Amino acid sequence: MVKLLIGLLVPEEGEIKIFNRKTNLITNTFLRGIGVSFEDPDFPPWAIVFDYLVFAGRARGLKREDAEAQAVELLKFFELDKKATVKASSLSAGQKKRYSVVLALIGLPKLLILDEPTANLDVQFRIKLLEFLKTLSDTYEVKILILSHVLAELERFSDEIVIIHKGELKYQATVSEIYQKEFPIYYALKGPLSEIFSLMEREKEFFNKNPHVKLDNKIKNRLLNRPISQELVSVPIIIKTPEALKLLNQAIKEQGLSVAIVQEKSLLEQVFLKVIKDR
């Protein structure tokens, strides 16, 4: 997919355009504005982390001093500064993935194409990377295309989602459109049993008469028959509209309860499974 997008492969049919230019007509000058991170990055055996990054910056048109300054800053942010003098090929799998993203970023290209950018990264750094990319997009208007199978992460940080299955475009929508169209979503009320009981008691009308909220009666009755305690519980709940979710969150906040509404299943995972099943 990535090789098709940057013109290294020619599609058997149809055409691909980037910034309204056909990929088979992309020039080296145009490629300077595109940063690419491949799923399984590979580096020349002679490439030293810092020197090769500066080289990539120079290839994007940066002056040497600017390339070196950016290299220092990027390596520090991506926690690779202590690896600046080693060969890139000697990095661990997670470090190679981070370094590949760093190479794509230097020179601040107009477009980033990142193939599985969070693979081999720990949870803390995955969140750090995605928040950084979101800030980069919002602040500098960099267009970012992420190819990933980790749908829950994409849901939180993306503006628009495209689902491709077996080479065919199956679904395309903005995240806000998905939230408007794809309810209900499976959630859970998580917190102390006493506080969830209090919420259910105070919001009887909301739970009993709101057609957009479904709380399993068997589970509800089982909870109400248990001794009230501080035991932490998780209560499955289906919420059918964004407005109902907002009202329930508001009720919890107003009552000062330590109850969280946690999404049990990623919305995009639900959409993906639905799309594959329906088609």
Side-chain angles (χ1 to χ4, degrees):
M1 172 67 76
V2 176
K3 291 181 179 179
L4 283 170
L5 290 173
I6 61 176
L8 295 179
L9 293 177
V10 179
E12 293 180 357
E13 57 181 289
E15 60 183 21
I16 301 172
K17 290 184 178 181
I18 295 179
F19 297 131
N20 209 32
R21 180 178 297 197
K22 293 181 182 179
T23 53
N24 62 323
L25 300 177
I26 286 178
T27 63
N28 288 335
T29 302
F30 187 81
L31 281 174
R32 286 182 178 180
I34 302 175
V36 180
S37 172
F38 290 96
E39 180 178 3
D40 297 308
D42 193 19
F43 313 106
W46 47 264
I48 303 298
V49 168
F50 181 80
D51 295 341
Y52 193 56
L53 183 55
V54 172
F55 170 77
R58 297 280 289 138
R60 286 226 171 89
L62 294 178
K63 295 179 180 178
R64 173 168 292 278
E65 55 268 31
D66 293 333
E68 290 179 348
Q70 282 195 28
V72 169
E73 187 176 346
L74 285 167
L75 290 177
K76 183 177 181 180
F77 180 85
F78 281 81
E79 300 174 15
L80 292 169
D81 46 316
K82 294 181 179 179
K83 298 291 183 179
T85 59
V86 307
K87 289 185 176 181
S89 58
S90 70
L91 298 173
S92 68
Q95 290 168 342
K96 284 182 178 178
K97 175 57 70 174
R98 279 183 273 153
Y99 186 57
S100 176
V101 176
V102 167
L103 285 169
L105 283 167
I106 194 165
L108 197 63
K110 295 179 180 179
L111 170 66
L112 284 174
I113 301 175
L114 309 177
D115 194 356
E116 302 289 355
T118 60
N120 299 316
L121 302 183
D122 60 55
V123 175
Q124 186 176 1
F125 200 88
R126 287 207 305 268
I127 295 173
K128 178 180 178 179
L129 172 60
L130 291 169
E131 287 178 343
F132 171 80
L133 293 174
K134 181 67 174 173
T135 301
L136 192 70
S137 174
D138 293 342
T139 305
Y140 297 100
E141 298 184 354
V142 175
K143 305 299 181 184
I144 303 175
L145 174 63
I146 296 178
L147 289 76
S148 177
H149 293 83
V150 188
L151 301 181
E153 290 181 347
L154 295 182
E155 180 179 330
R156 181 178 173 187
F157 294 99
S158 300
D159 298 314
E160 186 170 353
I161 301 296
V162 174
I163 296 177
I164 297 176
H165 183 59
K166 295 183 179 180
E168 294 185 12
L169 176 64
K170 298 292 188 181
Y171 188 93
Q172 183 173 0
T174 65
V175 172
S176 60
E177 287 172 344
I178 293 173
Y179 269 89
Q180 291 294 328
K181 294 190 300 184
E182 300 298 340
F183 273 76
I185 305 177
Y186 295 88
Y187 286 91
L189 297 173
K190 291 192 175 183
L193 176 59
S194 60
E195 298 202 17
I196 291 180
F197 179 84
S198 174
L199 176 68
M200 292 164 58
E201 280 292 296
R202 296 184 193 179
E203 301 295 332
K204 279 185 179 179
E205 185 173 344
F206 182 85
F207 285 107
N208 293 334
K209 296 183 179 180
N210 192 321
H212 303 303
V213 177
K214 184 177 180 181
L215 184 64
D216 188 277
N217 285 329
K218 290 183 180 179
I219 295 176
K220 181 179 177 181
N221 292 331
R222 197 182 310 148
L223 283 174
L224 295 176
N225 289 327
R226 288 166 70 172
I228 299 175
S229 69
Q230 290 300 307
E231 175 191 359
L232 295 177
V233 296
S234 178
V235 183
I237 183 173
I238 295 176
I239 301 177
K240 298 182 179 181
T241 66
E243 292 74 20
L245 176 60
K246 184 178 179 180
L247 287 172
L248 187 54
N249 266 314
Q250 185 177 338
I252 291 171
K253 185 177 180 180
E254 288 175 351
Q255 295 176 32
L257 301 175
S258 300
V259 177
I261 305 177
V262 181
Q263 195 169 314
E264 288 285 87
K265 298 180 182 179
S266 162
L267 177 57
L268 289 186
E269 289 173 355
Q270 293 179 57
V271 171
F272 178 79
L273 292 173
K274 179 182 176 182
V275 167
I276 300 308
K277 181 180 179 181
D278 291 347
R279 304 186 187 187

